[in-house]
Amino acid sequence: MTDRGSPNPLARPAGYQVPIILALLLAVLMAFPPALPQDFDLYLPLHSAFEIGSSAVAGLVFVVGWLSFQRRAPVSVLLIAVTFLGVALLDVGHLLSFQGMPDFVTPAGSEKAIRFWLGARLLAAAGMALAVIVPWNQEPAPGWLRTTLLGLTLALVAALYTLILRVPERLPDTFDPEQGLTTFKIGAEYAVIALHLTTVGALWLQRRAIPHIDSRNLIVALLIIMLSEVFFTLYVSVTDSFNLIGHVYKIIAYFYLFQAVVVSGIEQPYRELAGAKARLRATLEALPDIIFELDRRGVIHQMHSRYPHLLAQPEDVRGHCLLDYLPEPVQREYHKLLDDIDRNGRSGAYQYKLEADGETRDYEATGNLLRDPETPEARYIVIVQDITQRKRLDHELRIAAAAFESQESICITDEEHRILRVNSAFTRVTGFEEFEMVGKDPALLLPEDDRAGFRQRMDERMKGRSRWRGEIRLRRKSGEVHSQLLLVTAVR
């Protein structure tokens, strides 16, 4: 899967020492002659075991990429999946065509086996390059595109099988028993290396990761595949040591490919699920509300509460009807709430009173429909909030608002002496509307010769005290000046 912890898939060195060691080993092995003992009878079973293993990994890459992310796989993942389906099918043809195997439609032989081999290698390199280099949309691929990619891959594999088995004379030669590999074969192997090198470069330089794929292990796999391809440009006999070691390198590369796609694809959904559960648990623990999952009869299937003593422990109420714990007036509110959810998918806020902790407290319940395809019957998420304190504050605010609109003129300022609110009595006394005064300095209400130093004098009067009373001269909007008793109160 995508390594979200680091935008650069090469940021962590672990694993990259393997291709480095194998590259050094390649340099050493090239100094030795490639010949194996003439009686080395294990070559065919070893080759068969290697090819069966790599074909199995390629098949698993297809299965995981195609099925594990069936509903949300982007195009890049689907490209890798169908590519390795084609690779698996062509590698099977290569296995069955290798020298010493029974006839597979036509007699087995080096030329036939190499052609299947090159088809698989070129398909893998081209498919991986397309998946990484082309900026595919990260959104899930539509159904028609899934079908198209699978159909094109199968059609390409069928065409290659037809050419190799039915009209091999139309294909260029790849192997001469006396001179060894042809120029075309060596060039094709280097083309595979170049494509894989381009793919690694795109992953590294563009910092691009493929969704749902472990990019680090994928790069290691591609680097080892490139090393294995070097061996397949060196052998002079299809049963010499370079060919055998090339297959060893290939199976090592497929181990990392297995880690990058198959293991990652199977483990990631479980990691994501565990992470989602942890986040949900932390979210629920942070909520002061009581949360129920109910069915239409009111039976509790799940419950969360930081205050279980208000009802019961969650394990004690599961399977019981919530309505049995509530008085009849509150039951009617819950029936209205569930009816509301049935009509609209969610409910408004329903308020009620209950006895809790020896006092009458106010509660508010809201709900939402739980859409779970795995649950045949309708389920409802109901959130209950204790609003006792909120209602008390609302009550106090209403009292404060009533007092504010008293017969005395009131002006509220902030610590910078900017007006925040005035009441209607203030408007009657001064003639200024609220919108004319909000944000202004109240010193504007004084005659011009009284304004100088007013703020400083007021700060000195209020220093160390919470209120001051005195007489000032006030200027009305009309310009009339009159004396006014002023009471200043500091709210700290």
Side-chain angles (χ1 to χ4, degrees):
M1 318 314 272
T2 302
D3 181 5
R4 299 182 182 179
S6 173
N8 182 359
L10 292 180
R12 293 177 295 172
Y16 295 108
Q17 65 270 28
V18 176
I20 294 172
I21 294 171
L22 293 178
L24 295 175
L25 182 60
L26 168 61
V28 173
L29 292 173
M30 290 175 65
F32 290 89
L36 285 173
Q38 294 295 324
D39 58 349
F40 189 62
D41 296 333
L42 289 178
Y43 192 96
L44 182 60
L46 281 174
H47 176 270
S48 299
F50 289 151
E51 288 303 322
I52 290 172
S54 60
S55 297
V57 171
L60 287 172
V61 169
F62 166 72
V63 170
V64 171
W66 185 263
L67 297 180
S68 294
F69 307 102
Q70 187 169 1
R71 297 179 182 176
R72 54 189 177 94
V75 179
S76 54
V77 174
L78 292 178
L79 258 175
I80 293 175
V82 298
T83 292
F84 278 93
L85 172 64
V87 170
L89 295 174
L90 291 171
D91 275 344
V92 169
H94 167 71
L95 168 65
L96 297 176
S97 302
F98 196 77
Q99 181 177 309
M101 295 292 287
D103 290 353
F104 171 51
V105 181
T106 58
S110 302
E111 188 71 59
K112 178 181 174 185
I114 292 174
R115 285 169 174 170
F116 275 112
W117 169 269
L118 282 181
R121 305 289 73 77
L122 287 167
L123 176 60
M128 287 296 303
L130 279 174
V132 173
I133 297 170
V134 179
W136 300 107
N137 194 324
Q138 298 299 303
E139 296 298 319
W144 66 267
L145 185 56
R146 292 171 57 86
T147 305
T148 301
L149 289 175
L150 180 61
L152 289 174
T153 302
L154 293 177
L156 176 60
V157 171
L160 288 174
Y161 264 83
T162 301
L163 284 172
I164 295 169
L165 296 178
R166 295 300 183 189
V167 285
E169 65 278 2
R170 297 188 179 182
L171 298 173
D173 293 335
T174 62
F175 184 76
D176 185 328
E178 295 184 0
Q179 298 183 355
L181 301 175
T182 66
T183 302
F184 169 79
K185 202 275 185 183
I186 295 174
E189 296 285 8
Y190 279 116
V192 170
I193 294 173
L195 280 172
H196 283 315
L197 188 60
T198 303
T199 303
V200 170
L203 283 169
W204 190 352
L205 298 177
Q206 299 180 23
R207 306 292 200 268
R208 176 177 294 171
I210 305 174
H212 315 307
I213 303 294
D214 183 341
S215 299
R216 186 182 52 155
N217 278 324
L218 180 62
I219 290 175
V220 173
L222 294 178
L223 290 173
I224 300 175
I225 287 174
M226 285 189 279
L227 295 174
S228 75
E229 294 296 332
V230 174
F231 281 109
F232 296 121
T233 66
L234 299 175
Y235 65 85
V236 294
S237 167
V238 294
T239 58
D240 69 15
S241 60
F242 282 159
N243 200 326
L244 179 62
I245 297 171
H247 281 86
V248 172
Y249 273 43
K250 178 190 172 187
I251 203 67
I252 296 172
Y254 271 56
F255 167 79
Y256 283 95
L257 181 66
F258 179 82
Q259 295 291 323
V261 182
V262 179
V263 173
S264 182
I266 292 174
E267 288 184 349
Q268 184 65 12
Y270 291 101
R271 290 199 294 267
E272 290 179 353
L273 180 60
K277 285 184 175 180
R279 286 190 293 273
L280 177 60
R281 190 180 305 112
T283 302
L284 290 176
E285 292 300 326
L287 292 175
D289 307 329
I290 305 174
I291 303 175
F292 296 100
E293 179 186 329
L294 311 173
D295 61 23
R296 193 59 182 85
R297 297 166 296 162
V299 174
I300 301 171
H301 293 271
Q302 296 290 339
M303 171 192 166
H304 167 78
S305 174
R306 290 173 61 181
Y307 313 105
H309 64 280
L310 297 179
L311 183 64
Q313 294 291 336
E315 59 270 16
D316 295 333
V317 299
R318 290 192 190 104
H320 295 268
C321 183
L322 174 63
L323 303 182
D324 294 340
Y325 296 91
L326 304 175
E328 186 174 342
V330 180
Q331 291 182 23
R332 289 196 294 268
E333 293 300 316
Y334 267 83
H335 284 300
K336 292 178 184 177
L337 182 145
L338 298 180
D339 290 339
D340 196 1
I341 296 175
D342 285 336
R343 287 191 301 269
N344 305 308
R346 62 180 60 190
S347 75
Y350 289 81
Q351 297 184 0
Y352 57 89
K353 295 181 181 292
L354 272 180
E355 290 288 335
D357 291 337
E359 63 174 322
T360 301
R361 303 189 66 85
D362 293 282
Y363 294 91
E364 182 177 87
T366 58
N368 203 73
L369 185 64
L370 174 61
R371 293 176 173 86
D372 183 0
E374 302 299 323
T375 304
E377 61 178 348
R379 294 282 178 86
Y380 308 83
I381 299 296
V382 177
I383 301 176
V384 180
Q385 185 178 20
D386 188 333
I387 60 170
T388 306
Q389 186 63 22
R390 191 182 82 189
K391 296 199 74 171
R392 288 173 182 169
L393 291 175
D394 289 344
H395 183 62
E396 292 176 3
L397 286 174
R398 284 194 295 271
I399 294 174
F404 185 71
E405 294 300 334
S406 66
Q407 296 301 313
E408 300 292 337
S409 86
I410 299 175
C411 171
I412 301 176
T413 68
D414 60 17
E415 67 276 8
E416 299 296 330
H417 299 277
R418 291 187 296 263
I419 295 176
L420 301 175
R421 291 276 314 268
V422 299
N423 67 353
S424 55
F426 177 94
T427 299
R428 288 197 307 271
V429 171
T430 65
F432 289 100
E433 297 293 338
E434 183 175 23
F435 72 88
E436 296 178 282
M437 297 306 299
V438 170
K440 304 291 181 60
D441 191 328
L444 294 174
L445 296 168
L446 303 176
E448 290 188 12
D449 54 350
D450 291 349
R451 295 177 189 176
F454 172 76
R455 184 181 296 182
Q456 182 178 352
R457 293 195 303 272
M458 188 56 64
D459 287 340
E460 291 175 354
R461 290 164 179 165
M462 295 301 296
K463 186 179 296 184
R465 61 173 70 181
S466 60
R467 61 175 53 201
W468 175 85
R469 181 191 296 266
E471 189 175 297
I472 64 169
R473 292 198 304 159
L474 182 69
R475 180 182 63 87
R476 291 190 174 98
K477 187 176 182 180
S478 63
E480 177 187 355
V481 177
H482 69 285
S483 296
Q484 184 78 30
L485 181 63
L486 177 65
L487 173 63
V488 179
T489 300
V491 180
R492 304 187 190 280

mmCIF file of all heavy atoms in Angstrom, residues 5-21:
data_model
loop_
_atom_site.group_PDB
_atom_site.id
_atom_site.type_symbol
_atom_site.label_atom_id
_atom_site.label_comp_id
_atom_site.label_asym_id
_atom_site.label_seq_id
_atom_site.Cartn_x
_atom_site.Cartn_y
_atom_site.Cartn_z
ATOM 1 N N GLY A 5 3.577 7.644 5.341
ATOM 2 C CA GLY A 5 4.450 8.288 6.291
ATOM 3 C C GLY A 5 5.596 9.039 5.639
ATOM 4 O O GLY A 5 6.209 9.891 6.244
ATOM 5 N N SER A 6 5.913 8.739 4.377
ATOM 6 C CA SER A 6 7.006 9.408 3.693
ATOM 7 C C SER A 6 6.632 9.612 2.257
ATOM 8 O O SER A 6 6.280 8.677 1.558
ATOM 9 C CB SER A 6 8.275 8.565 3.796
ATOM 10 O OG SER A 6 9.292 9.116 3.001
ATOM 11 N N PRO A 7 6.670 10.861 1.730
ATOM 12 C CA PRO A 7 6.307 11.101 0.344
ATOM 13 C C PRO A 7 7.304 10.504 -0.622
ATOM 14 O O PRO A 7 7.008 10.289 -1.779
ATOM 15 C CB PRO A 7 6.297 12.637 0.248
ATOM 16 C CG PRO A 7 7.212 13.098 1.340
ATOM 17 C CD PRO A 7 7.058 12.075 2.435
ATOM 18 N N ASN A 8 8.531 10.248 -0.194
ATOM 19 C CA ASN A 8 9.553 9.664 -1.046
ATOM 20 C C ASN A 8 9.682 8.185 -0.738
ATOM 21 O O ASN A 8 10.091 7.811 0.352
ATOM 22 C CB ASN A 8 10.890 10.365 -0.806
ATOM 23 C CG ASN A 8 11.982 9.818 -1.728
ATOM 24 O OD1 ASN A 8 11.745 8.913 -2.510
ATOM 25 N ND2 ASN A 8 13.167 10.379 -1.610
ATOM 26 N N PRO A 9 9.349 7.296 -1.692
ATOM 27 C CA PRO A 9 9.419 5.864 -1.400
ATOM 28 C C PRO A 9 10.830 5.375 -1.155
ATOM 29 O O PRO A 9 11.018 4.265 -0.692
ATOM 30 C CB PRO A 9 8.807 5.222 -2.660
ATOM 31 C CG PRO A 9 8.923 6.258 -3.718
ATOM 32 C CD PRO A 9 8.852 7.580 -3.038
ATOM 33 N N LEU A 10 11.848 6.177 -1.476
ATOM 34 C CA LEU A 10 13.219 5.770 -1.206
ATOM 35 C C LEU A 10 13.780 6.397 0.060
ATOM 36 O O LEU A 10 14.971 6.367 0.310
ATOM 37 C CB LEU A 10 14.111 6.168 -2.390
ATOM 38 C CG LEU A 10 13.849 5.396 -3.689
ATOM 39 C CD1 LEU A 10 14.786 5.891 -4.760
ATOM 40 C CD2 LEU A 10 13.989 3.913 -3.510
ATOM 41 N N ALA A 11 12.901 7.024 0.865
ATOM 42 C CA ALA A 11 13.378 7.761 2.034
ATOM 43 C C ALA A 11 13.962 6.825 3.086
ATOM 44 O O ALA A 11 14.837 7.210 3.834
ATOM 45 C CB ALA A 11 12.242 8.580 2.634
ATOM 46 N N ARG A 12 13.465 5.589 3.152
ATOM 47 C CA ARG A 12 13.962 4.660 4.158
ATOM 48 C C ARG A 12 14.882 3.645 3.491
ATOM 49 O O ARG A 12 14.513 3.042 2.488
ATOM 50 C CB ARG A 12 12.789 3.953 4.840
ATOM 51 C CG ARG A 12 11.943 4.892 5.675
ATOM 52 C CD ARG A 12 10.759 4.171 6.268
ATOM 53 N NE ARG A 12 9.856 3.719 5.217
ATOM 54 C CZ ARG A 12 8.821 2.924 5.430
ATOM 55 N NH1 ARG A 12 8.578 2.474 6.630
ATOM 56 N NH2 ARG A 12 8.049 2.561 4.442
ATOM 57 N N PRO A 13 16.074 3.406 4.018
ATOM 58 C CA PRO A 13 17.045 2.556 3.331
ATOM 59 C C PRO A 13 16.774 1.073 3.466
ATOM 60 O O PRO A 13 17.292 0.280 2.688
ATOM 61 C CB PRO A 13 18.363 2.935 4.013
ATOM 62 C CG PRO A 13 17.958 3.362 5.395
ATOM 63 C CD PRO A 13 16.618 4.025 5.239
ATOM 64 N N ALA A 14 15.981 0.658 4.459
ATOM 65 C CA ALA A 14 15.804 -0.770 4.724
ATOM 66 C C ALA A 14 15.294 -1.492 3.486
ATOM 67 O O ALA A 14 14.306 -1.101 2.883
ATOM 68 C CB ALA A 14 14.843 -0.972 5.890
ATOM 69 N N GLY A 15 15.977 -2.572 3.065
ATOM 70 C CA GLY A 15 15.555 -3.346 1.903
ATOM 71 C C GLY A 15 16.391 -3.062 0.681
ATOM 72 O O GLY A 15 16.566 -3.928 -0.187
ATOM 73 N N TYR A 16 16.970 -1.864 0.551
ATOM 74 C CA TYR A 16 17.723 -1.512 -0.643
ATOM 75 C C TYR A 16 19.129 -2.102 -0.648
ATOM 76 O O TYR A 16 19.807 -2.076 -1.675
ATOM 77 C CB TYR A 16 17.775 0.016 -0.797
ATOM 78 C CG TYR A 16 16.407 0.586 -1.032
ATOM 79 C CD1 TYR A 16 15.755 1.308 -0.044
ATOM 80 C CD2 TYR A 16 15.735 0.341 -2.221
ATOM 81 C CE1 TYR A 16 14.483 1.798 -0.249
ATOM 82 C CE2 TYR A 16 14.464 0.831 -2.441
ATOM 83 C CZ TYR A 16 13.840 1.560 -1.448
ATOM 84 O OH TYR A 16 12.574 2.029 -1.659
ATOM 85 N N GLN A 17 19.562 -2.627 0.482
ATOM 86 C CA GLN A 17 20.866 -3.278 0.493
ATOM 87 C C GLN A 17 20.818 -4.575 -0.315
ATOM 88 O O GLN A 17 21.878 -5.037 -0.788
ATOM 89 C CB GLN A 17 21.339 -3.565 1.923
ATOM 90 C CG GLN A 17 20.494 -4.554 2.691
ATOM 91 C CD GLN A 17 19.376 -3.885 3.456
ATOM 92 O OE1 GLN A 17 18.909 -2.829 3.038
ATOM 93 N NE2 GLN A 17 18.953 -4.492 4.547
ATOM 94 N N VAL A 18 19.621 -5.170 -0.496
ATOM 95 C CA VAL A 18 19.527 -6.445 -1.225
ATOM 96 C C VAL A 18 19.929 -6.286 -2.684
ATOM 97 O O VAL A 18 20.801 -7.025 -3.173
ATOM 98 C CB VAL A 18 18.105 -7.030 -1.090
ATOM 99 C CG1 VAL A 18 17.973 -8.297 -1.917
ATOM 100 C CG2 VAL A 18 17.788 -7.311 0.367
ATOM 101 N N PRO A 19 19.344 -5.351 -3.451
ATOM 102 C CA PRO A 19 19.813 -5.214 -4.841
ATOM 103 C C PRO A 19 21.265 -4.774 -4.938
ATOM 104 O O PRO A 19 21.950 -5.125 -5.912
ATOM 105 C CB PRO A 19 18.869 -4.158 -5.432
ATOM 106 C CG PRO A 19 18.220 -3.488 -4.284
ATOM 107 C CD PRO A 19 18.176 -4.482 -3.196
ATOM 108 N N ILE A 20 21.761 -4.023 -3.952
ATOM 109 C CA ILE A 20 23.175 -3.627 -3.973
ATOM 110 C C ILE A 20 24.075 -4.862 -3.848
ATOM 111 O O ILE A 20 25.044 -5.040 -4.604
ATOM 112 C CB ILE A 20 23.468 -2.620 -2.847
ATOM 113 C CG1 ILE A 20 22.723 -1.308 -3.107
ATOM 114 C CG2 ILE A 20 24.968 -2.360 -2.729
ATOM 115 C CD1 ILE A 20 22.799 -0.313 -1.969
ATOM 116 N N ILE A 21 23.728 -5.742 -2.902
ATOM 117 C CA ILE A 21 24.507 -6.973 -2.719
ATOM 118 C C ILE A 21 24.431 -7.841 -3.966
ATOM 119 O O ILE A 21 25.440 -8.389 -4.433
ATOM 120 C CB ILE A 21 24.000 -7.734 -1.484
ATOM 121 C CG1 ILE A 21 24.293 -6.923 -0.209
ATOM 122 C CG2 ILE A 21 24.637 -9.114 -1.394
ATOM 123 C CD1 ILE A 21 23.643 -7.495 1.034
#
